[in-house]
Amino acid sequence: RPACADEPFGNQPTAAYCSGFLVGPDLIATAGHCYSSGDLSGTRFVFGFVMQNATTPVTFLAENRVYQGVEVVGRALQGDLDYAVIRLDRPVTAPGAIPFEIRREGVVPLTANVGVIGHPAGLPMKIAFGGATRVYENSNAGYFVANLDTYGGNSGSPVINPVTGQVEGILVRGAQDYVIEGNCFRSNWLPDSAASEDVSKTTSFAQFVPLLVNS
């Protein structure tokens, strides 16, 4: 079915199947369920899949925006753990690409504001921060729970603390994305208190990410 007429971004193209983010000159972090060693040859990491304006997507990507994985440096997909760190075939030189700092110790405070950047439903990049998007539970060693505005395709997205600029975790699980309404589909809206998105803590994979030179 098509998107309902009032569904945001319903006329935009979908291409990505997951999201990821730069944590070193040639290192990508994403969800463990998004990538494994079997994906090294057939998957590409693309920088710059965005909308140029409200109606025009980027449909051509220069070579310096496309990369291939050559090594899975660290990965877990069991129990509460869901992450992958991948080394690329060369350092990233895509325009504007800067590695994120990650939290390496401690825990993100309860009620801390967090937001996400990624490719919901495979769409061009979307930035989703809100005054009410925050951490609801963080007692588990491997992940915390938040009420982020995410969809399938956001798996692997960086979950960012807008106050510190640090990545607190990787979006890995969430609630049902869409509901069918007549002959079209629309987003499944939930109250903020539902808090159904699970985020793998960066502290669970920080050992695979060297400190940045400017740290």
Side-chain angles (χ1 to χ4, degrees), residues 105-170:
E105 58 185 15
V107 296
V108 60
L110 277 175
T111 76
N113 187 217
V114 286
V116 64
I117 301 175
H119 297 274
L123 291 162
M125 186 182 71
K126 299 290 179 281
I127 301 172
F129 286 77
T133 52
R134 60 184 179 86
V135 177
Y136 269 73
E137 199 277 328
N138 67 358
S139 62
N140 189 283
Y143 70 94
F144 64 87
V145 182
N147 62 343
L148 297 159
D149 297 319
T150 59
Y151 296 75
N154 272 123
S155 285
S157 292
V159 177
I160 304 163
N161 183 324
V163 175
T164 65
Q166 283 188 329
V167 174
E168 299 284 2
I170 300 173

Side-chain angles (χ1 to χ4, degrees), residues 157-194:
S157 292
V159 177
I160 304 163
N161 183 324
V163 175
T164 65
Q166 283 188 329
V167 174
E168 299 284 2
I170 300 173
L171 192 285
V172 294
R173 294 178 290 274
Q176 178 181 337
D177 292 342
Y178 298 107
V179 294
I180 300 300
E181 187 173 291
N183 62 353
C184 63
F185 71 88
R186 64 173 68 255
S187 292
N188 180 32
W189 289 81
L190 297 172
D192 285 327
S193 58

